[in-house]
Amino acid sequence: MLLGTVLALLLLGAGPASAHAALSGTDPGDGSVVQRAPRHVTLTFTESVGLLDDSFRVFGPDQRRVRTGEATHAEGRSETARVTLPAGLAQGTYTVAWRVVSADSHPVSGAFSFSVGKRSATTAQVGTGPAEDPLTGGLHDAARYVAYLAAALLVGTAAFVLLCRPAHPSALRRPAFGAWWALLGATVALLLLRAPYEAGTGPASAFDTEALGNTLTGRPGQALLARLAVLLVTAAFALWLSRHRADGRGPLHRGSLPLAGGTVLAVALALTWAAAEHASAGIQVPLAMTSSVAHLLATGVWLGGLAALLLVSRRGTGEDLTRIVPLFSRIAFASVTVLAVTGLYQSWRGLGSLSALSGTPYGRLLLAKLAGVGALLLVARYSRRWTARIAAPAPARAAAVPARVPQPVGAAPGKPGGDDGPEPGGPAGPDTGGPDPDDTEGTGGPGGHDRPTAPGRPDRRPEIPDGTSGPEGPGSPGEPPRGPVGLDDPGTRRRGLRRSVLAEVAVAAVVLLITTVLTGTLPGRAQAEAARQAPAGALPPTAEVVVPFDTGGDGVTGRGNVYVTLDPARVGDNGVTAVVHGSDTGLVVVPEVRITFTLPSREVGPIDAGVGDRGGYWGTNAVNLPLAGNWTMRTTVRVSDVDQVTVEKKVRIAP
């Protein structure tokens, strides 16, 4: 029932989406000139979007903000955003900055312009709004990381207790409680920070009751509320189990109820992540969410179980570890298999193409995560050596040989007084009176009796203090070492296991940190889709210009190409980067690159970009181009003290 409630709460209304919304159209169109002032501005996206109080900011020809109505969905369609404009707009160019929240909970923003009657001589230099407040973004990311760590520890310790059944589960009670409280606190923090994170404002606005109310009506807020509900039910379930002990020795039942209940709660907890992040938007949403839930649970069982094993190894007995370690090793192997299968699917779904693996931030982060997982598997392989040693039986010891004590003259060797009784533990049999074929010491006479010892002569057979004698006595080559020595020492094996597991836990924490950043990064497939929609005005255009040069000199630096990127190629501040390639298409180092901009039609310039050597490329982040139009970019490349060339190229600067 709980699982169904969470599914209904989180998946109601979910539909096909593209993971990070991309703008597919605007009305009026970007850069268009309309004869009659429009009454609405309508945006259409590739997926459903959430609206904010400040989703639209419209600036007029005088660069003042235009009073608008409340942002709504056009005709009730969740993939649209619309705002009402006042009547009687003056002639000129209007700039629209917008900000919405995509279905996977990440804010998306952009800007475009349109003109009424005719274009203005100058346009408003309006940004799309801050992507995020640095302090708010840092706190939000920290809370997400703590939530991941706490969830992994909570799921892992619970699975470890239910599946491995350590002899002293109380050692894991405090870590489990700590993980529960940490996850509860992180979830509350995420709920409070959600509104300022979406709006790009400071954390002080987290306590705005109106903004918090809006958060609770959106999908990310509902997912966080569902997580809080699952945590409360988990606490109630654990309390109920602790009060209904099955055997009076531990807080858990020996039946299947704890395992079934724990599984349902773990799946419900994982759903609160899957329904609000990348899996909830894009292609194959049901399969993606199933894969995401399995991935999260396998991560918790493996990495959280490692932490549990580390704690148990400090308090558990040798016999307990001999049973637990091989069992957890099999569970960890199954978890890694699930991680491999689901991770491969999620990588394909997020990347879309092999080129995105190295050509997008998402792909590069994914490579870093794969490297971390590879290191984790290497450490796990080392841990398996200690696992095998702990699981192996103790070294066989030499069987003790009964001590031979001097017997009275005429006494039988097996029993004082001369009667040969049955051997202890063996069947009794008649004494044949013949020679004893097993008597190889030369001391047995006919009938198996010992040879009498002369009066005053001691028995020459050496007495061994530990009760053994003969060629296989202590210290002889035929006997294994009596005590555990070296790596066979239980203390050494436990310390080795703890060190290797501790290394696994440390590497796992780094992998979870990369995962936290990865889940907040635009997937490569969505980035490619957004780029295809760029002509509609979703993102500011980026000008990329190839400038061929030939100084007439010899060598690879004498000629080649300069790849200049102008971002965003709009009126206002722009970033400029220049990468120099030689004739062999490889990167080359040159003494100087200089770039200037001139707008001949308005007699503006030249404006020196002031690019500097950044170690492998030349760049700057602050060149102001005040007017729209076709600018002339002059690129000067100096390859030596006497060889340089200047090349002109046209670049379009949008309003």
Side-chain angles (χ1 to χ4, degrees):
M1 181 176 178
L2 173 66
L3 191 59
T5 303
V6 173
L7 278 170
L9 178 63
L10 298 180
L11 303 183
L12 186 61
S18 59
H20 279 58
L23 186 64
S24 59
T26 66
D27 183 19
D30 185 17
S32 65
V33 179
V34 297
Q35 297 305 312
R36 297 181 59 183
R39 291 305 312 274
H40 303 91
V41 171
T42 304
L43 309 180
T44 304
F45 296 89
T46 56
E47 66 170 66
S48 60
V49 295
L51 302 178
L52 306 171
D53 290 339
D54 204 27
S55 278
F56 285 94
R57 291 179 298 139
V58 182
F59 295 84
D62 57 357
Q63 301 192 14
R64 295 182 179 180
R65 186 165 179 176
V66 177
R67 187 180 299 274
T68 61
E70 183 180 357
T72 60
H73 293 294
E75 300 173 357
R77 293 182 296 155
S78 61
E79 75 278 8
T80 64
R82 170 177 287 181
V83 67
T84 302
L85 300 175
L89 291 178
Q91 286 190 341
T93 301
Y94 292 80
T95 303
V96 180
W98 53 266
R99 185 181 183 91
V100 296
V101 181
S102 59
D104 61 353
S105 78
H106 297 290
V108 183
S109 59
F112 71 98
S113 64
F114 67 93
S115 302
V116 177
K118 63 179 182 179
R119 290 188 174 90
S120 302
T122 59
T123 57
Q125 299 179 18
V126 180
T128 60
E132 63 179 27
D133 179 83
L135 182 56
T136 300
L139 292 174
H140 187 267
D141 290 341
R144 291 176 63 239
Y145 180 57
V146 171
Y148 275 120
L149 281 178
L153 183 58
L154 182 62
V155 172
T157 52
F160 189 88
V161 170
L162 293 173
L163 298 177
C164 297
R165 298 191 180 278
H168 301 284
S170 58
L172 300 176
R173 184 177 303 164
R174 181 174 297 177
F177 286 170
W180 186 90
W181 280 108
L183 183 54
L184 182 70
T187 303
V188 172
L190 288 171
L191 195 61
L192 292 175
L193 290 170
R194 186 69 210 174
Y197 173 71
E198 292 178 348
T201 58
S205 60
F207 300 98
D208 185 336
T209 55
E210 183 179 356
L212 182 59
N214 294 335
T215 297
L216 299 180
T217 59
R219 177 181 293 181
Q222 291 175 351
L224 293 172
L225 284 178
R227 188 178 304 167
L228 289 175
V230 173
L231 286 174
L232 293 178
V233 173
T234 300
F237 184 68
L239 183 63
W240 182 81
L241 287 178
S242 65
R243 291 182 176 180
H244 294 76
R245 300 178 180 181
D247 53 6
R249 294 181 299 172
L252 296 178
H253 283 284
R254 297 296 180 184
S256 60
L257 178 59
L259 183 59
T263 301
V264 171
L265 290 171
V267 171
L269 189 64
L271 271 172
T272 65
W273 269 278
E277 294 188 348
H278 289 159
S280 65
I283 60 173
Q284 304 173 352
V285 172
L287 179 59
M289 291 189 61
T290 302
S291 174
S292 179
V293 169
H295 197 83
L296 288 169
L297 292 181
T299 300
V301 171
W302 181 25
L303 304 186
L306 282 175
L309 179 62
L310 179 64
L311 295 171
V312 168
S313 66
R314 301 180 64 88
R315 297 185 59 178
T317 63
E319 181 180 352
D320 195 31
L321 287 179
T322 302
R323 177 184 60 84
I324 288 177
V325 169
L327 178 58
F328 179 74
S329 181
R330 292 192 293 271
I331 295 172
F333 179 79
S335 299
V336 171
T337 302
V338 173
L339 286 172
V341 174
T342 56
L344 182 64
Y345 168 73
Q346 291 178 1
S347 299
W348 166 82
R349 183 176 179 270
L351 287 172
S353 65
L354 286 177
S355 60
L357 194 60
S358 59
T360 63
Y362 183 88
R364 290 188 287 270
L365 278 172
L366 183 60
L367 287 176
K369 180 180 178 180
L370 291 176
V373 172
L376 188 58
L377 291 176
L378 288 177
V379 178
R381 182 179 179 183
Y382 176 73
S383 297
R384 287 183 64 87
R385 299 181 180 180
W386 294 107
T387 300
R389 290 191 179 107
I390 290 178
R397 298 186 180 183
V401 179
R404 294 180 180 267
V405 295
Q407 302 288 333
V409 177
K415 183 179 180 180
D419 295 331
D420 191 7
E423 292 291 335
D431 189 352
T432 60
D436 185 356
D438 295 329
D439 189 355
T440 58
E441 297 182 296
T443 60
H449 298 289
D450 284 340
R451 179 181 301 166
T453 302
R457 294 180 59 189
D459 190 343
R460 296 187 180 185
R461 291 170 298 180
E463 295 186 19
I464 307 301
D466 64 354
T468 61
S469 62
E472 299 299 325
S476 62
E479 181 182 358
R482 283 191 166 274
V485 179
L487 295 179
D488 290 328
D489 176 51
T492 301
R493 289 180 291 184
R494 293 174 64 177
R495 286 191 297 271
L497 178 66
R498 284 199 299 268
R499 285 193 294 265
S500 62
V501 172
L502 182 61
E504 284 189 74
V505 171
V507 177
V510 176
V511 172
L512 280 179
L513 178 61
I514 299 174
T515 302
T516 304
V517 179
L518 187 65
T519 56
T521 304
L522 178 68
R525 185 186 295 273
Q527 183 171 335
E529 184 173 349
R532 289 194 297 268
Q533 301 292 346
L539 298 173
T542 299
E544 297 180 356
V545 184
V546 180
V547 182
F549 69 91
D550 189 353
T551 64
D554 297 329
V556 296
T557 61
R559 61 182 180 274
N561 294 297
V562 181
Y563 295 87
V564 181
T565 301
L566 188 62
D567 183 18
R570 283 189 179 272
V571 170
D573 287 338
N574 286 264
V576 180
T577 59
V579 182
V580 184
H581 289 250
S583 57
D584 61 350
T585 70
L587 292 175
V588 296
V589 178
V590 297
E592 183 182 9
V593 173
R594 187 170 63 256
I595 299 175
T596 62
F597 295 90
T598 304
L599 184 59
S601 63
R602 304 295 293 272
E603 298 181 352
V604 177
I607 299 175
D608 189 353
V611 294
D613 188 357
R614 300 296 181 86
Y617 73 96
W618 297 74
T620 181
N621 293 325
V623 54
N624 187 279
L625 303 177
L627 298 173
N630 293 318
W631 290 69
T632 299
M633 183 179 70
R634 293 169 56 89
T635 305
T636 300
V637 182
R638 183 167 64 85
V639 299
S640 68
D641 292 339
V642 296
D643 295 323
Q644 73 176 34
V645 65
T646 300
V647 181
E648 293 186 355
K649 283 284 187 178
K650 295 291 185 181
V651 294
R652 171 69 180 171
I653 301 301

